[in-house]
Amino acid sequence: MRTLWTLDVPFLEGAANPLPLTVIVGAQWGDEGKGKIVDLIAEEADIVARCQGGPNAGHTVVIGKETFVLHLVPTGALRPGKLCVLGSGVVIDPLALFAEVDGLKTHGVEVENRLRVDPRAHIILPYHRALERAEEGRAAGGRLGTTLRGIGPAYASKAARTGVRVHDLLDRERLRTLLELNLETVGAQIGAAAAAAEELGAGAMTDVFTALGSRLKPLVTDVSGLINTALRGGRRVLVEGAQGTLLDLDHGTYPFVTSSSTIAGGALTGLGFGPRQVDQVIGVAKAYTTRVGHGPFPTELEPAAAADLREAGAEYGATTGRPRRCGWLDLVALRRAARLSGFDALAVTKLDVLDTLEAIPVCVAYEPDPRGDWWPEVELEAARPVYRKLRGWRASTAGARSIGDLPPAAREYLRFIAAETGVPVALASVGSGREETVRIDDPSLAAASSAVSN
Ligand code: IMP
């Protein structure tokens, strides 16, 4: 019997089964519904690993009547017995991490004994949040519209080689020296008074973070070694990407991006394995597009229409509660995402949100490029989308479990995405529950995609 691990798609059957190393990445601006997809596939995994980002993520999983929003703990936590790891590419706020671990425990999810953290992962310290508040406060409404979790400044410390890493928390004297040096610099950057008013001094911070270090100590593991050994032993590893392709530090809509590598390549550097180890890359894309924070968004809807889509899709940030900007599916951006990460398959989420629409515009190109593979790196704000109007299905898809249950126009919508991106659509989500999922084994969807990719 085929398992969900292969996504039940015959056109992936040529690959080894089970596929030992799968990477899941967001194909848009984050919030694609990766949490649900990771949770589904995690059923078949032994290890679920985060490779980048930090508590800026908000991965939502609905299990029965309970809704879990995970920020730092890998989504595998919700599947009993799965090992959950945070690689060296993640930035860790230990206070946020343990608050989440303790919160999960109150809901009957015990994860601390199956959590592992790489000693090289960098720590988010209170001064990183203070620096970010100062930086974002320079413009009304925020300069970039970040999540204010200290992510950017923590990665900046890492690149400046002044960062504090997990293993530094295990040595009190070393930690104190590092903090004293860093606090001096932070004081010079944002003013000693501002730094002191908002944050702990070096002594108190050393106490707090040494205590957190003691709690982290039993979890500290060489994650690269762990994953490579696990793969050699036939274990299955699932990498849970956070944020999305268009927020990638190198390839996203810079400077309106996050500070890590959100494409599949980030899995390699953030966890420590080679490109040949990867068996499958799955891109998760919403059936339309949303973004939070500032920056260009070519297919964004004007406020009234955006509000309709926002209400239909409950589009509010899982981490900050901010209303998400909403727009139509952008196939130019999706094609680019497929190329940047080499998607083997797509999971299309929130298809049901489009159930009531009579026609659904989809962006196939930007003017003046009729072929639709032009990505205007600098002038994206000025990009004028060319839309193709697809037929809506005006019927509920919530009960669909197989491709045959979907209305013909919904099937056509998925087929169009496969054809335009050259990537088979292997899964469609029609609701937040685990069971509200359509496993796609329709060879015509594979044919649609290969027609383009070959
Ligand atoms: P930062 O990651 O907090 O530095 O925020 C940088 C940009 O990425 C902002 O536009 C945030 O709204 C966005 N962002 C960060 N994390 C997520 C996420 O998990 N989902 C969606 N957007 C995110």
Side-chain angles (χ1 to χ4, degrees), residues 157-174:
S157 295
K158 174 178 177 172
R161 291 153 296 172
T162 56
V164 173
R165 304 193 290 173
V166 165
H167 89 111
D168 297 318
L169 303 190
L170 311 182
D171 179 337
R172 189 187 170 84
E173 283 320 302
R174 182 190 174 87

Side-chain angles (χ1 to χ4, degrees), residues 110-407:
E110 175 62 71
V111 67
E112 194 159 349
N113 57 0
R114 52 192 174 97
L115 185 63
R116 299 291 179 272
V117 177
D118 194 273
R120 301 163 194 84
H122 281 250
I123 300 294
I124 302 174
L125 287 146
Y127 55 77
H128 290 128
R129 285 189 296 274
L131 283 167
E132 187 168 19
R133 280 196 295 273
E135 182 62 31
E136 277 289 280
R138 282 201 209 149
R143 191 173 76 92
L144 304 173
T146 70
T147 61
L148 296 175
R149 297 296 187 273
I151 307 295
Y155 278 116
S157 295
K158 174 178 177 172
R161 291 153 296 172
T162 56
V164 173
R165 304 193 290 173
V166 165
H167 89 111
D168 297 318
L169 303 190
L170 311 182
D171 179 337
R172 189 187 170 84
E173 283 320 302
R174 182 190 174 87
L175 176 64
R176 172 137 194 159
T177 310
L178 272 171
L179 291 177
E180 276 170 0
L181 270 173
N182 287 347
L183 281 170
E184 227 173 84
T185 319
V186 172
Q189 278 172 295
I190 60 173
E198 295 202 57
E199 304 307 330
L200 305 167
M205 211 186 289
T206 305
D207 290 344
V208 170
F209 281 85
T210 303
L212 290 163
S214 303
R215 190 167 170 190
L216 275 172
K217 196 172 178 184
L219 317 182
V220 177
T221 309
D222 171 17
V223 163
S224 169
L226 173 79
I227 289 183
N228 282 277
T229 307
L231 289 171
R232 273 202 306 279
R235 302 284 178 194
R236 290 159 299 183
V237 178
L238 177 60
V239 181
E240 173 179 4
Q243 291 79 50
T245 301
L246 298 167
L247 291 172
D248 183 89
L249 182 59
D250 289 278
H251 299 281
T253 50
Y254 191 90
F256 303 100
V257 293
T258 192
S259 299
S260 62
S261 293
T262 59
I263 60 173
L268 276 56
T269 52
L271 288 163
F273 51 75
R276 287 170 184 273
Q277 308 260 52
V278 179
D279 295 285
Q280 178 177 232
V281 182
I282 298 172
V284 183
K286 215 176 265 188
Y288 48 99
T289 311
T290 60
R291 114 168 263 185
V292 279
H294 308 326
F297 180 177
T299 62
E300 183 166 19
L301 281 160
E302 45 83 23
D308 289 345
L309 205 49
R310 184 176 307 118
E311 290 320 305
E315 295 294 353
Y316 294 88
T319 297
T320 59
R322 290 179 289 177
R324 294 177 183 145
R325 299 159 65 192
C326 296
W328 300 122
L329 184 64
D330 184 340
L331 289 169
V332 182
L334 198 52
R335 272 195 283 274
R336 190 161 172 275
R339 166 160 61 77
L340 288 168
S341 287
F343 293 157
D344 295 294
L346 275 169
V348 175
T349 59
K350 292 198 150 183
L351 190 65
D352 56 306
V353 173
L354 305 180
D355 280 355
T356 58
L357 301 177
E358 210 167 290
I360 309 168
V362 173
C363 169
V364 292
Y366 300 146
E367 279 178 4
D369 169 36
R371 284 182 18 182
D373 50 14
W374 173 62
W375 181 260
E377 202 53 64
V378 185
E379 320 90 22
L380 194 58
E381 276 96 348
R384 303 227 347 247
V386 177
Y387 289 105
R388 174 91 155 259
K389 262 195 181 161
L390 301 186
R391 207 158 47 89
W393 40 96
R394 308 201 74 188
S396 172
T397 53
R401 299 294 174 263
S402 71
I403 187 90
D405 298 337
L406 287 174

